[in-house]
Amino acid sequence: MVGIVLTSHGGFADGINQSAEMIFGQQQDVAHVILKPDEGPDDIHAKLENAIKDFSDQEQVLFLVDLWGGTPFNQASSLFEKHQDTWAIVTGMNLPMVIEALASRMTMNSAREIATHIVETAKDGIKTLPEELMPKTKAPAAPASAKPAIKGAIPEGTVIGDGKIKYVLARVDSRLLHGQVATGWTKATNPNRIIVVSDNVAKDKLRKNMIKQAAPTGVHANTVPIAKMIKVDKDPRFGDTRAMLLFETPEDALRAIEGGVGIKELNVGSMAYSEGKVNVNQVLAMNQEDVDTFRKLKQLGIEFIVKKVPSSNAEDMDALLDKAQKLIDEQKK
């Protein structure tokens, strides 16, 4: 695995590592090295060397640095001189860059390959709201031989691919589309469409817009009512769709599955606490309706993967439900 060193002036590298862990989970072979105000070049040089010594593969190292020409960059560059064929340095470190680098280690084995790949992601992470504040860029001219894009709706009854939508992930998460989903889970499952399935959110214009804005680059995000999702599942026009489904509650997931949506596996990621619920672990809170719903889903043959992020260890759903039931019963006394 490619080792990654985050290095910066002050605590920036420490902070961005903490942010990345909140989104992507703890990672092996990642170091964060900072230059403190009372330190000099020799200090950070020694810290960089020590960090690399702990990597499982010291032949593939990627430095993500805050500033070109600064002391952290200069000391990383001095180490890089002896490893120019395999190591790489990228400056202008931001959170999208770091997350993309972590995700890229799943499929890329070269520091140089990852370095090239993450630059565009780092650029795409710079956006403005309102969007019209973004500098205008000219779109490249289409080749003369390019075919015009197909416009308009696809006629009903059209069969695309094998006519069956592919579900790469179905997740229960009260936060719906947020950083952990837009980065870690999207990289792990590679959907081309994220679908929030919720009657409540489908009626909320503000939340629908926020979900669209939160979609990662290259992935479309939609919000649909449960009844609409049941129809989409049977529509052959979605045969080339790799969909990630997000449910706000297990009850919504049950309604969709009972309606025929072809989900076999449910990722249980986050369920927020509210009055009347009990905390089962750090991220899951349930009431009696939730427990009963999960048990009914199990009776329908649904398998559960209880994970906040892809790198987390899966928890035992039966044990969590038993714990929830015990706490609920105690709450009633």
Side-chain angles (χ1 to χ4, degrees):
M1 179 180 288
V2 174
I4 297 177
V5 181
L6 315 177
T7 183
S8 70
H9 297 79
F12 178 45
D14 290 345
I16 205 167
N17 177 73
Q18 185 181 53
S19 297
E21 284 188 345
M22 288 181 65
I23 294 170
F24 211 75
Q26 289 190 337
Q27 297 289 305
Q28 294 182 336
D29 291 343
V30 176
H32 41 109
V33 178
I34 66 170
L35 175 67
K36 297 179 180 179
D38 59 348
E39 292 179 332
D42 291 342
D43 296 301
I44 194 166
H45 187 101
K47 288 196 284 187
L48 289 170
E49 284 188 316
N50 288 333
I52 295 167
K53 286 178 183 177
D54 292 333
F55 288 166
S56 56
D57 183 0
Q58 297 170 22
E59 290 301 312
Q60 294 292 338
V61 176
L62 173 64
F63 295 89
L64 303 183
V65 189
D66 60 348
L67 184 68
W68 183 281
T71 299
F73 169 80
N74 292 337
Q75 296 310 308
S77 182
S78 69
L79 293 171
F80 167 78
E81 287 298 320
K82 296 180 180 179
H83 303 272
Q84 294 188 33
D85 292 337
T86 57
W87 289 14
I89 301 175
V90 182
T91 62
M93 176 171 58
N94 62 17
L95 187 56
M97 173 196 291
V98 174
I99 293 170
E100 188 68 21
L102 296 174
S104 297
R105 298 195 301 174
M106 297 178 180
T107 56
M108 299 179 185
N109 300 316
S110 159
R112 293 166 64 89
E113 183 182 11
I114 294 175
T116 300
H117 172 70
I118 64 176
V119 170
E120 286 303 319
T121 300
K123 292 179 181 177
D124 289 340
I126 302 172
K127 298 179 180 180
T128 65
L129 195 65
E131 294 182 4
E132 58 264 24
L133 298 181
M134 285 291 289
K136 299 296 186 291
T137 56
K138 291 184 178 180
S145 59
K147 296 181 180 179
I150 298 175
K151 297 182 179 180
I154 301 172
E156 287 190 25
T158 303
V159 179
I160 295 179
D162 62 3
K164 296 180 180 179
I165 191 170
K166 316 299 184 300
Y167 298 112
V168 299
L169 182 75
R171 177 178 171 93
V172 174
D173 191 328
S174 57
R175 294 177 293 172
L176 295 172
L177 182 52
H178 57 95
Q180 292 169 348
V181 175
T183 53
W185 284 107
T186 299
K187 290 297 178 184
T189 59
N190 193 32
N192 55 22
R193 188 173 295 274
I194 296 172
I195 306 175
V196 171
V197 186
S198 168
D199 291 349
N200 291 331
V201 181
K203 295 181 287 188
D204 189 327
K205 185 176 181 181
L206 177 60
R207 292 184 72 186
K208 286 172 66 175
N209 287 337
M210 291 174 64
I211 286 165
K212 282 187 177 181
Q213 292 170 0
T217 302
V219 181
H220 296 288
N222 303 92
T223 302
V224 300
I226 297 170
K228 176 69 175 293
M229 189 64 232
I230 293 170
K231 291 180 180 179
V232 168
D233 180 86
K234 300 172 177 60
D235 194 325
R237 291 175 292 182
F238 291 90
D240 64 348
T241 299
R242 291 173 50 83
M244 174 191 292
L245 302 189
L246 300 177
F247 298 98
E248 196 169 18
T249 67
E251 290 74 32
D252 284 351
L254 176 60
R255 283 181 56 199
I257 292 168
E258 287 183 326
V261 176
I263 298 169
K264 305 299 182 186
E265 193 174 76
L266 198 58
N267 168 229
V268 184
S270 175
M271 294 173 62
Y273 176 83
S274 60
E275 188 175 355
K277 294 198 174 191
V278 295
N279 289 310
V280 184
N281 62 18
Q282 289 184 332
V283 295
L284 298 179
M286 302 182 193
N287 58 22
Q288 188 64 60
E289 184 182 11
D290 297 327
V291 173
D292 293 343
T293 298
F294 280 124
R295 294 204 187 281
K296 189 165 187 179
L297 284 164
K298 184 178 179 181
Q299 291 174 356
L300 293 174
I302 302 300
E303 295 185 4
F304 301 109
I305 299 177
V306 186
K307 280 188 175 187
K308 184 170 69 171
V309 295
S311 59
S312 300
N313 293 323
E315 296 188 58
D316 186 287
M317 189 59 165
D318 289 333
L320 291 173
L321 292 176
D322 289 343
K323 179 181 179 181
Q325 188 65 64
K326 182 179 179 181
L327 291 171
I328 291 168
D329 292 342
E330 290 175 353
Q331 192 180 61
K332 294 176 182 177
K333 293 178 180 178

